[in-house]
Amino acid sequence: MTQGWYRKPLATAALAGWLAVSSFTQVAKAQQLPEQDLWRWFEVEVLVFAHRDAGDTVESFPWQGPQRYQDYVYNPLPSVFVPDITALLADLPECATPTVIPEFNRERLLCAAPWELDPWLPMNWQRQERMLRELAAAPADVINGPGGEVKNAAAPFLAPASQLELSETRQQLVRRGTGTPLLHLSWYQPVFGADDEYKVRLFGGRNFADEFSLAGYALPDEQAKLTALSTSEEKPELGLAERLQQLAELQRTAQFNFSAAAKDEPLAAPSASQLETPTTPLWQLDGTMHIYLVGNYLHIDSDLELREPTAVDWQPADLTAQADLALEPLTNKRFLRSFKLDQLRRVISHETHYFDHPKLGVVVQIRRTDLSARRY
C-alpha cells in the first residue's frame, strides 16, 4: 500500500511540473493575448526546399555558424517525430528493488523508477530532446498532422497531409531536379499583432550533431581522438625554446610564414570549448516563422537558416594563433556554414508567396477560415 501511495503522488507531481515548465512560454505570452473567443484563426501551409545548384553566390554570404532558436511559442514537430511517453511512464507501477539475480518478467520490465519521471535528468532516454538527438535525419519531410476544428481549438494544431495544396510544386521540384524538399506541412494557428511574438518553430533535414559542434566547428572523429591521445602520451609538451625552433625550421623550409591581417579569415579557428559534442539536435534546416496582423493586413517574418558543411582554410589574424596552427595543424578543415533567410513581407491570404534565396526557397500560403474575420 505504501508503495502505491508513494508512486502516484510522485508521478502526478513530476508530470504536472514538466507540463508547467514546458508551457511557460505559451502561458506567459497568452496572458497578453486577446480573449480566446476573439482569436482570428488561419491555416498556414509552408514548403521549404534547398536549391540543388547555388552557383558561385555562396561567397557573397558571411561566414557564420548555427543560430540557437529558442524564442518561439508553437513547436509542432517534436511530437510528430518522437513520441511523448511522459504520461505513459507516470501511469506505470513503480519498479521494485532489484534482486541479486536479475529477473526478466513482466513486472520487472513494465515499470518505471522514480528518477525516470524527472524530465531534466540528462540520462532519461524518453526526453523528447534526447530522442530527437539520436535521429540521423528528420523522419519525414511531409508532415501528416491529426487535424481538428478551429471552432473547438484552444491551441494551434497540425493539419493532415491530404489538405496540402502545394504538393504538385513539391513533386515538380523533385522531378526537375531543381530542389530538395526539406519540410512541407500545414497548420492552423491564431494570428495576433506583431508585438505578441507568436512565432512557430520549423526544422528538418539532416541532423549534424554527430559531426559538428553547436558553434559549427567539425568534431574530431573517434580515430583522431585516439591518435591525439596516444600522441600526447608519447610526446611531452614542447617548451618555448622547442616551439621557436620548430617555427624557425618551418619558416626556413617555406612551410610557414606569419601574415599581417586585421581579422581572422574566414573566421576564427575553433577553441577547445567550441569542440564539445552537442547534446541537442543540429538540424540542416532550422528557424522560426512569425505570422502577424497589422490591422487586417497579414505579414510573414521568416527567420530561417540552411546549414551546409563547407571546406575552410583557417587563417587567424593573431600571431600566437598562427603559430599554434602551424605547430598543430587542424586535420578536419570543415565548418557547418549557415545561410540565413531573413525576410519580412506583407501578404494576401489565399495567394502563393515565394521567398527567394540563393540557397533555399520557401513557398507559403495563408488561407482564411470561418474564424479569420475580426470579431470585435
Side-chain angles (χ1 to χ4, degrees):
M1 181 66 70
T2 303
Q3 178 177 338
W5 176 88
Y6 172 76
R7 183 69 179 83
K8 288 299 181 181
L10 179 63
T12 304
L15 181 58
W18 178 82
L19 289 174
V21 173
S22 64
S23 60
F24 174 79
T25 302
Q26 286 95 329
V27 171
K29 292 183 180 294
Q31 290 174 351
Q32 307 168 16
L33 300 177
E35 294 181 11
Q36 186 176 328
D37 291 342
L38 303 178
W39 288 4
R40 302 177 65 178
W41 287 83
F42 292 82
E43 181 185 3
V44 183
E45 181 174 353
V46 175
L47 168 62
V48 186
F49 61 93
H51 290 298
R52 291 284 179 86
D53 184 13
D56 298 327
T57 58
V58 171
E59 296 306 321
S60 63
F61 287 89
W63 282 80
Q64 56 189 3
Q67 176 183 337
R68 298 294 301 276
Y69 289 94
Q70 298 176 318
D71 183 22
Y72 50 82
V73 175
Y74 181 42
N75 189 17
L77 296 175
S79 60
V80 176
F81 292 155
V82 294
D84 181 4
I85 62 171
T86 307
L88 176 63
L89 282 177
D91 201 45
L92 290 175
E94 183 183 356
C95 294
T97 304
T99 58
V100 177
I101 301 176
E103 297 178 2
F104 299 97
N105 52 44
R106 182 183 179 87
E107 290 72 22
R108 294 286 181 180
L109 296 176
L110 296 180
C111 64
W115 56 265
E116 288 184 293
L117 295 174
D118 189 337
W120 303 113
L121 290 179
M123 74 283 291
N124 284 346
W125 60 268
Q126 79 279 2
R127 295 172 61 235
Q128 276 192 323
E129 199 68 15
R130 180 167 179 179
M131 295 173 73
L132 286 170
R133 169 63 178 83
E134 300 305 315
L135 297 176
D141 53 24
V142 179
I143 307 302
N144 186 25
E149 293 288 339
V150 292
K151 62 182 180 180
N152 300 323
F157 60 92
L158 289 169
S162 59
Q163 291 184 203
L164 297 175
E165 297 185 9
L166 298 173
S167 297
E168 179 60 29
T169 302
R170 184 188 73 248
Q171 294 163 6
Q172 286 183 8
L173 289 169
V174 176
R175 284 197 301 265
R176 297 174 180 175
T178 56
T180 302
L182 298 174
L183 182 63
H184 190 187
L185 76 167
S186 176
W187 71 89
Y188 289 88
Q189 71 162 91
V191 177
F192 307 103
D195 294 337
D196 292 308
E197 296 286 325
Y198 205 86
K199 298 179 181 180
V200 178
R201 169 91 183 281
L202 302 174
F203 61 84
R206 291 177 57 190
N207 180 8
F208 292 110
D210 287 333
E211 304 174 54
F212 296 90
S213 70
L214 293 178
Y217 295 101
L219 299 172
D221 55 34
E222 293 303 319
Q223 185 59 43
K225 291 179 182 178
L226 293 174
T227 303
L229 182 62
S230 60
T231 303
S232 63
E233 292 176 350
E234 295 171 3
K235 295 183 179 180
E237 185 175 350
L238 295 177
L240 178 60
E242 290 85 353
R243 288 171 63 86
L244 292 175
Q245 185 177 359
Q246 286 195 11
L247 284 173
E249 179 63 20
L250 290 172
Q251 287 184 299
R252 187 186 68 79
T253 56
Q255 298 181 55
F256 168 71
N257 280 306
F258 286 105
S259 62
K263 62 178 183 178
D264 299 312
E265 293 292 345
L267 72 169
S271 62
S273 62
Q274 293 173 315
L275 291 176
E276 297 179 356
T277 302
T279 57
T280 56
L282 190 55
W283 299 107
Q284 180 182 2
L285 167 72
D286 205 345
T288 61
M289 182 167 288
H290 183 200
I291 299 172
Y292 61 88
L293 283 160
V294 177
N296 286 318
Y297 294 101
L298 287 163
H299 292 70
I300 302 176
D301 188 357
S302 298
D303 183 8
L304 301 169
E305 64 180 34
L306 181 73
R307 299 154 179 171
E308 286 187 351
T310 307
V312 60
D313 183 17
W314 309 109
Q315 300 177 34
D318 182 74
L319 298 182
T320 302
Q322 292 182 35
D324 291 340
L325 203 57
L327 294 174
E328 298 181 17
L330 293 173
T331 56
N332 197 340
K333 296 185 176 182
R334 295 197 306 157
F335 183 73
L336 189 61
R337 193 173 178 182
S338 294
F339 301 92
K340 289 189 68 66
L341 185 152
D342 191 355
Q343 296 183 19
L344 172 63
R345 187 179 302 177
R346 194 178 83 174
V347 299
I348 299 174
S349 60
H350 291 279
E351 291 187 354
T352 302
H353 304 277
Y354 178 62
F355 292 78
D356 196 12
H357 186 280
K359 297 295 292 183
L360 72 159
V362 181
V363 188
V364 183
Q365 280 189 6
I366 302 179
R367 297 186 281 269
R368 296 177 67 86
T369 71
D370 294 338
L371 298 180
S372 295
R374 187 193 297 266
R375 298 189 299 283
Y376 53 90

